Coordinates of all heavy atoms in Angstrom, one line a residue:
H114 N 11.4 -178.3 -120.2 CA 12.2 -177.5 -119.3 C 11.9 -176.0 -119.5 O 12.2 -175.4 -120.4 CB 13.7 -177.7 -119.5 CG 14.5 -176.9 -118.5 ND1 14.9 -177.2 -117.2 CD2 15.1 -175.6 -118.7 CE1 15.4 -176.3 -116.6 NE2 15.8 -175.3 -117.5
V115 N 11.1 -175.5 -118.5 CA 10.9 -174.0 -118.4 C 11.5 -173.7 -117.1 O 11.1 -174.1 -115.9 CB 9.3 -173.9 -118.3 CG1 8.9 -172.5 -118.1 CG2 8.6 -174.5 -119.6
P116 N 12.4 -172.6 -117.2 CA 13.2 -172.3 -116.0 C 12.3 -171.7 -114.8 O 12.6 -172.0 -113.6 CB 14.1 -171.3 -116.5 CG 14.2 -171.5 -117.9 CD 12.9 -172.0 -118.3
S117 N 11.4 -171.0 -115.0 CA 10.6 -170.3 -113.9 C 9.3 -169.7 -114.4 O 9.1 -169.8 -115.7 CB 11.4 -169.1 -113.3 OG 11.3 -168.0 -114.2
A118 N 8.5 -169.2 -113.5 CA 7.2 -168.6 -113.9 C 7.4 -167.5 -115.0 O 6.5 -167.4 -115.8 CB 6.5 -168.1 -112.7
V119 N 8.4 -166.7 -114.9 CA 8.6 -165.6 -115.8 C 8.9 -166.1 -117.3 O 8.7 -165.4 -118.2 CB 9.7 -164.6 -115.4 CG1 9.3 -163.9 -114.2 CG2 11.0 -165.4 -115.3
A120 N 9.4 -167.4 -117.5 CA 9.7 -167.9 -118.7 C 8.5 -168.6 -119.3 O 8.7 -169.2 -120.3 CB 10.8 -168.9 -118.5
V121 N 7.3 -168.7 -118.7 CA 6.2 -169.2 -119.3 C 5.6 -168.4 -120.5 O 5.1 -167.4 -120.4 CB 5.0 -169.5 -118.4 CG1 3.8 -170.1 -119.1 CG2 5.4 -170.3 -117.3
S122 N 5.8 -169.0 -121.7 CA 5.4 -168.2 -122.9 C 4.0 -168.7 -123.4 O 3.2 -167.8 -124.0 CB 6.4 -168.4 -124.1 OG 6.6 -169.7 -124.3
D123 N 3.5 -169.8 -123.0 CA 2.2 -170.3 -123.4 C 1.3 -170.2 -122.2 O 1.5 -171.1 -121.3 CB 2.4 -171.7 -123.9 CG 1.0 -172.4 -124.3 OD1 0.0 -171.6 -124.3 OD2 0.9 -173.6 -124.7
P124 N 0.4 -169.3 -122.1 CA -0.5 -169.3 -121.0 C -1.3 -170.5 -120.6 O -1.7 -170.8 -119.6 CB -1.4 -168.0 -121.3 CG -1.2 -167.6 -122.6 CD 0.1 -168.3 -123.1
D125 N -1.5 -171.3 -121.7 CA -2.2 -172.5 -121.5 C -1.5 -173.6 -120.5 O -2.2 -174.4 -119.9 CB -2.4 -173.3 -122.9 CG -3.5 -172.6 -123.7 OD1 -4.2 -171.8 -123.2 OD2 -3.6 -173.0 -124.9
L126 N -0.3 -173.4 -120.4 CA 0.6 -174.2 -119.5 C 0.0 -174.0 -118.1 O 0.0 -175.1 -117.3 CB 2.1 -173.8 -119.6 CG 3.0 -174.7 -118.6 CD1 2.8 -176.2 -119.0 CD2 4.4 -174.3 -118.9
W127 N -0.4 -172.8 -117.6 CA -0.9 -172.6 -116.3 C -2.2 -173.4 -116.2 O -2.4 -174.1 -115.0 CB -1.1 -171.1 -116.0 CG 0.1 -170.4 -115.9 CD1 0.6 -169.3 -116.7 CD2 1.1 -170.6 -114.9 NE1 1.8 -168.9 -116.2 CE2 2.2 -169.5 -115.2 CE3 1.3 -171.4 -113.8 CZ2 3.3 -169.5 -114.4 CZ3 2.5 -171.2 -113.1 CH2 3.4 -170.4 -113.3
S128 N -3.1 -173.4 -117.2 CA -4.3 -174.1 -117.0 C -4.0 -175.6 -116.7 O -4.5 -176.3 -115.9 CB -5.2 -174.1 -118.3 OG -5.2 -172.8 -118.8
K129 N -3.0 -176.2 -117.5 CA -2.7 -177.6 -117.4 C -2.2 -177.9 -116.0 O -2.5 -178.8 -115.3 CB -1.7 -178.0 -118.5 CG -2.3 -178.0 -119.8 CD -1.2 -178.2 -121.0 CE -1.9 -178.0 -122.3 NZ -1.0 -177.6 -123.4
L130 N -1.2 -177.1 -115.5 CA -0.6 -177.3 -114.1 C -1.7 -177.2 -113.1 O -1.8 -178.0 -112.2 CB 0.6 -176.4 -113.9 CG 1.8 -176.4 -114.9 CD1 2.7 -175.4 -114.6 CD2 2.5 -177.9 -114.8
M131 N -2.5 -176.2 -113.2 CA -3.5 -175.9 -112.1 C -4.6 -177.0 -112.1 O -5.1 -177.4 -111.2 CB -4.2 -174.5 -112.4 CG -3.2 -173.4 -112.0 SD -2.7 -173.5 -110.3 CE -1.2 -172.6 -110.2
D132 N -4.9 -177.5 -113.4 CA -6.0 -178.5 -113.5 C -5.5 -179.9 -112.9 O -6.2 -180.5 -112.2 CB -6.5 -178.8 -114.9 CG -7.7 -179.5 -115.0 OD1 -8.6 -179.0 -114.2 OD2 -7.8 -180.5 -115.7
V133 N -4.1 -180.2 -113.2 CA -3.6 -181.4 -112.5 C -3.7 -181.1 -111.0 O -3.9 -182.1 -110.1 CB -2.2 -181.6 -113.0 CG1 -1.5 -182.7 -112.2 CG2 -2.3 -182.1 -114.5
A134 N -3.2 -180.0 -110.5 CA -3.2 -179.7 -109.0 C -4.7 -179.9 -108.5 O -4.9 -180.6 -107.5 CB -2.8 -178.3 -108.8
R135 N -5.6 -179.5 -109.2 CA -7.1 -179.6 -108.7 C -7.5 -181.0 -108.7 O -8.0 -181.6 -107.7 CB -8.0 -178.8 -109.7 CG -9.4 -178.8 -109.3 CD -10.2 -178.2 -110.4 NE -10.2 -178.9 -111.6 CZ -11.0 -179.9 -111.9 NH1 -11.9 -180.3 -111.0 NH2 -10.9 -180.6 -113.0
K136 N -7.1 -181.8 -109.7 CA -7.4 -183.2 -109.8 C -6.7 -184.0 -108.7 O -7.3 -184.9 -108.0 CB -7.0 -183.8 -111.2 CG -7.9 -183.4 -112.2 CD -7.5 -184.0 -113.6 CE -8.4 -183.6 -114.7 NZ -7.7 -183.5 -116.0
L137 N -5.5 -183.7 -108.5 CA -4.6 -184.4 -107.3 C -5.3 -184.1 -105.9 O -5.5 -185.0 -105.1 CB -3.3 -184.0 -107.4 CG -2.4 -184.7 -108.5 CD1 -1.0 -184.1 -108.6 CD2 -2.3 -186.2 -108.2
A138 N -5.7 -182.8 -105.8 CA -6.4 -182.4 -104.5 C -7.5 -183.1 -104.3 O -7.8 -183.7 -103.2 CB -6.5 -180.9 -104.4
L139 N -8.4 -183.4 -105.4 CA -9.6 -184.0 -105.1 C -9.3 -185.5 -104.9 O -9.9 -186.1 -104.0 CB -10.4 -183.9 -106.4 CG -11.3 -182.6 -106.6 CD1 -11.8 -182.6 -108.0 CD2 -12.2 -182.5 -105.6
E140 N -8.4 -186.0 -105.7 CA -8.0 -187.5 -105.5 C -7.5 -187.8 -104.1 O -7.8 -188.9 -103.6 CB -7.0 -187.7 -106.5 CG -6.9 -189.2 -107.1 CD -5.8 -189.3 -108.2 OE1 -6.1 -188.8 -109.3 OE2 -4.8 -189.8 -108.0
L141 N -6.8 -186.9 -103.6 CA -6.1 -187.1 -102.3 C -7.2 -186.6 -101.1 O -6.7 -186.6 -100.0 CB -4.8 -186.4 -102.2 CG -3.8 -186.9 -103.2 CD1 -2.7 -185.9 -103.3 CD2 -3.3 -188.4 -102.8
G142 N -8.4 -186.2 -101.3 CA -9.3 -185.7 -100.4 C -9.0 -184.5 -99.7 O -9.2 -184.3 -98.5
C143 N -8.3 -183.6 -100.3 CA -7.8 -182.3 -99.7 C -8.8 -181.2 -99.9 O -8.6 -180.1 -99.3 CB -6.5 -181.8 -100.2 SG -5.0 -183.1 -100.2
E144 N -10.0 -181.5 -100.6 CA -10.7 -180.3 -101.0 C -11.5 -179.7 -99.8 O -11.8 -178.5 -99.7 CB -11.7 -180.7 -102.1 CG -12.9 -181.6 -101.7 CD -12.5 -183.0 -101.8 OE1 -11.4 -183.3 -101.8 OE2 -13.5 -183.9 -101.8
D145 N -12.0 -180.5 -98.9 CA -12.7 -180.0 -97.7 C -11.9 -179.2 -96.8 O -12.3 -178.1 -96.4 CB -13.4 -181.2 -96.8 CG -14.5 -181.8 -97.6 OD1 -15.0 -181.2 -98.6 OD2 -14.9 -182.9 -97.2
K146 N -10.8 -179.8 -96.3 CA -9.9 -178.9 -95.4 C -9.2 -177.8 -96.1 O -8.8 -176.9 -95.5 CB -9.0 -179.9 -94.6 CG -9.8 -180.6 -93.5 CD -8.8 -181.4 -92.6 CE -9.7 -182.1 -91.6 NZ -8.9 -183.0 -90.7
G147 N -8.8 -178.1 -97.3 CA -8.1 -177.1 -98.0 C -6.7 -177.4 -98.4 O -6.2 -178.3 -97.7
Y148 N -6.2 -176.6 -99.3 CA -4.8 -176.9 -99.6 C -4.2 -175.6 -100.1 O -4.9 -174.6 -100.4 CB -4.6 -178.0 -100.7 CG -5.4 -177.7 -101.9 CD1 -4.9 -177.2 -103.0 CD2 -6.8 -178.2 -101.9 CE1 -5.7 -177.0 -104.2 CE2 -7.6 -178.1 -103.2 CZ -7.0 -177.4 -104.2 OH -7.8 -177.2 -105.4
R149 N -2.8 -175.5 -100.2 CA -2.2 -174.4 -100.8 C -1.4 -174.7 -101.9 O -0.7 -175.7 -102.0 CB -1.2 -173.8 -99.7 CG -0.6 -172.6 -100.0 CD 0.1 -171.8 -99.0 NE -0.8 -171.2 -98.1 CZ -0.5 -170.3 -97.0 NH1 0.7 -170.0 -96.7 NH2 -1.4 -169.8 -96.4
L150 N -1.4 -173.9 -103.0 CA -0.7 -173.9 -104.2 C 0.3 -172.8 -104.2 O 0.0 -171.6 -103.9 CB -1.5 -173.8 -105.5 CG -2.7 -175.0 -105.6 CD1 -3.4 -174.7 -106.8 CD2 -2.0 -176.3 -105.6
V151 N 1.6 -173.2 -104.4 CA 2.7 -172.2 -104.3 C 3.6 -172.3 -105.6 O 4.0 -173.3 -105.9 CB 3.6 -172.5 -103.1 CG1 4.8 -171.5 -102.9 CG2 2.7 -172.3 -101.8
V152 N 4.0 -171.1 -106.1 CA 5.0 -171.1 -107.2 C 6.0 -170.1 -106.7 O 5.8 -168.9 -106.6 CB 4.3 -170.7 -108.6 CG1 5.5 -170.6 -109.5 CG2 3.3 -171.6 -109.0
N153 N 7.2 -170.6 -106.4 CA 8.3 -169.6 -106.1 C 9.1 -169.4 -107.4 O 9.4 -170.2 -108.1 CB 9.3 -170.5 -105.1 CG 8.7 -170.8 -103.7 OD1 7.8 -169.9 -103.2 ND2 9.0 -171.9 -103.3
S154 N 9.2 -168.1 -107.6 CA 9.8 -167.6 -108.8 C 11.0 -166.8 -108.5 O 10.9 -165.6 -108.1 CB 8.9 -167.0 -109.8 OG 9.5 -166.8 -111.0
G155 N 12.3 -167.3 -108.7 CA 13.4 -166.3 -108.5 C 14.0 -166.6 -107.1 O 13.4 -167.1 -106.2
P156 N 15.2 -166.2 -106.8 CA 15.8 -166.4 -105.6 C 15.3 -165.8 -104.3 O 15.2 -166.4 -103.3 CB 17.3 -165.8 -105.8 CG 17.2 -165.1 -107.1 CD 16.1 -165.5 -107.9
Q157 N 14.7 -164.4 -104.5 CA 14.1 -163.9 -103.3 C 12.8 -164.6 -102.9 O 12.4 -164.5 -101.7 CB 13.8 -162.4 -103.6 CG 14.8 -161.5 -102.8 CD 14.5 -160.0 -103.0 OE1 13.5 -159.7 -103.6 NE2 15.2 -159.3 -102.1
A158 N 12.2 -165.3 -103.7 CA 11.0 -166.1 -103.4 C 11.3 -167.5 -103.0 O 10.5 -168.2 -102.6 CB 10.1 -166.2 -104.7
G159 N 12.6 -167.8 -103.0 CA 13.0 -169.1 -102.5 C 13.1 -170.2 -103.5 O 13.1 -171.4 -103.2
Q160 N 13.1 -169.9 -104.8 CA 13.1 -170.9 -105.8 C 14.6 -171.5 -105.8 O 15.5 -170.8 -106.0 CB 12.9 -170.4 -107.2 CG 12.9 -171.5 -108.4 CD 12.5 -171.0 -109.7 OE1 12.4 -169.8 -109.9 NE2 12.4 -171.9 -110.6
T161 N 14.6 -172.9 -105.6 CA 15.9 -173.5 -105.6 C 16.2 -174.4 -106.8 O 17.3 -174.7 -107.1 CB 16.1 -174.4 -104.3 OG1 15.0 -175.3 -104.2 CG2 16.1 -173.5 -103.1
I162 N 15.1 -174.9 -107.4 CA 15.2 -175.8 -108.6 C 14.7 -175.0 -109.7 O 13.5 -174.5 -109.9 CB 14.5 -177.0 -108.5 CG1 14.8 -177.9 -107.3 CG2 14.6 -177.9 -109.7 CD1 16.1 -178.5 -107.2
P163 N 15.6 -174.7 -110.8 CA 15.3 -173.7 -111.8 C 14.5 -174.6 -113.0 O 14.9 -174.5 -114.1 CB 16.5 -173.3 -112.3 CG 17.6 -174.3 -112.0 CD 17.1 -175.0 -110.8
H164 N 13.5 -175.2 -112.6 CA 12.5 -175.8 -113.5 C 11.2 -175.5 -112.9 O 10.9 -176.0 -111.8 CB 12.8 -177.4 -113.7 CG 12.0 -178.1 -114.6 ND1 12.5 -179.0 -115.5 CD2 10.6 -178.3 -114.6 CE1 11.5 -179.6 -116.2 NE2 10.3 -179.1 -115.7
L165 N 10.3 -174.8 -113.6 CA 8.9 -174.4 -113.2 C 8.2 -175.6 -112.4 O 8.2 -176.7 -112.9 CB 8.1 -174.0 -114.3 CG 6.7 -173.6 -113.9 CD1 6.7 -172.3 -113.2 CD2 5.9 -173.3 -115.3
H166 N 7.8 -175.2 -111.3 CA 6.9 -176.3 -110.4 C 5.9 -175.6 -109.6 O 6.2 -174.5 -109.1 CB 7.9 -177.2 -109.7 CG 8.9 -176.4 -108.8 ND1 10.1 -175.8 -109.3 CD2 9.0 -176.2 -107.5 CE1 10.7 -175.3 -108.5 NE2 10.1 -175.4 -107.2
V167 N 4.8 -176.2 -109.5 CA 3.8 -175.8 -108.5 C 3.8 -176.7 -107.3 O 3.7 -178.0 -107.5 CB 2.3 -175.8 -109.1 CG1 1.3 -175.4 -108.2 CG2 2.3 -174.9 -110.5
H168 N 3.9 -176.1 -106.2 CA 3.8 -176.9 -105.0 C 2.4 -177.2 -104.6 O 1.6 -176.1 -104.4 CB 4.5 -176.2 -103.7 CG 5.9 -176.0 -103.9 ND1 6.9 -176.9 -103.2 CD2 6.7 -175.1 -104.6 CE1 8.1 -176.4 -103.5 NE2 8.1 -175.3 -104.3
L169 N 2.0 -178.4 -104.2 CA 0.7 -178.6 -103.7 C 0.9 -179.1 -102.3 O 1.5 -180.1 -102.0 CB -0.1 -179.7 -104.5 CG -1.4 -180.3 -104.0 CD1 -2.3 -179.2 -103.6 CD2 -2.0 -181.4 -104.8
L170 N 0.4 -178.3 -101.4 CA 0.7 -178.6 -99.9 C -0.6 -178.7 -99.2 O -1.6 -177.8 -99.4 CB 1.4 -177.5 -99.2 CG 2.8 -177.2 -99.8 CD1 3.1 -175.7 -100.0 CD2 3.9 -177.8 -98.9
A171 N -0.7 -179.7 -98.4 CA -2.0 -180.0 -97.7 C -1.7 -180.9 -96.4 O -0.6 -181.4 -96.3 CB -3.0 -180.6 -98.6
G172 N -2.7 -181.0 -95.6 CA -2.7 -181.8 -94.4 C -2.4 -181.1 -93.1 O -2.1 -181.7 -92.1
R173 N -2.2 -179.8 -93.2 CA -1.9 -179.0 -92.0 C -2.4 -177.5 -92.3 O -2.7 -177.3 -93.4 CB -0.5 -179.0 -91.5 CG 0.5 -178.4 -92.5 CD 1.9 -178.2 -91.8 NE 2.9 -177.7 -92.7 CZ 3.2 -176.4 -92.9 NH1 2.5 -175.4 -92.3 NH2 4.1 -176.1 -93.8
S174 N -2.4 -176.7 -91.2 CA -2.8 -175.3 -91.4 C -1.6 -174.6 -92.0 O -0.5 -174.9 -91.5 CB -3.3 -174.8 -90.1 OG -4.5 -175.3 -89.7
F175 N -1.8 -173.5 -92.7 CA -0.7 -172.7 -93.2 C -0.9 -171.3 -92.7 O -2.1 -170.8 -92.6 CB -0.7 -172.7 -94.7 CG -0.4 -174.1 -95.2 CD1 -1.5 -174.9 -95.7 CD2 0.9 -174.7 -95.1 CE1 -1.2 -176.2 -96.1 CE2 1.2 -176.0 -95.6 CZ 0.1 -176.8 -96.2
R176 N 0.2 -170.6 -92.4 CA 0.2 -169.2 -92.0 C 0.0 -168.3 -93.2 O 0.4 -168.6 -94.3 CB 1.4 -168.8 -91.2 CG 1.4 -169.4 -89.7 CD 2.5 -168.7 -89.0 NE 3.9 -168.8 -89.6 CZ 4.7 -169.9 -89.3 NH1 4.4 -170.8 -88.4 NH2 5.9 -169.9 -90.0

Side-chain angles (χ1 to χ4, degrees):
H114 181 82
V115 177
S117 74
V119 291
V121 176
S122 54
D123 176 7
D125 287 348
L126 179 57
W127 289 118
S128 315
K129 287 169 192 158
L130 296 172
M131 288 298 158
D132 198 47
V133 171
R135 185 187 64 84
K136 284 179 183 148
L137 282 169
L139 282 171
E140 205 174 294
L141 297 167
C143 305
E144 74 277 17
D145 284 344
K146 288 190 173 172
Y148 55 92
R149 183 170 285 184
L150 302 176
V151 174
V152 179
N153 296 319
S154 188
Q157 257 192 347
Q160 183 180 4
T161 57
I162 303 288
H164 180 130
L165 178 66
H166 49 283
V167 176
H168 295 258
L169 165 59
L170 297 140
R173 68 170 172 85
S174 296
F175 299 101
R176 284 195 301 268

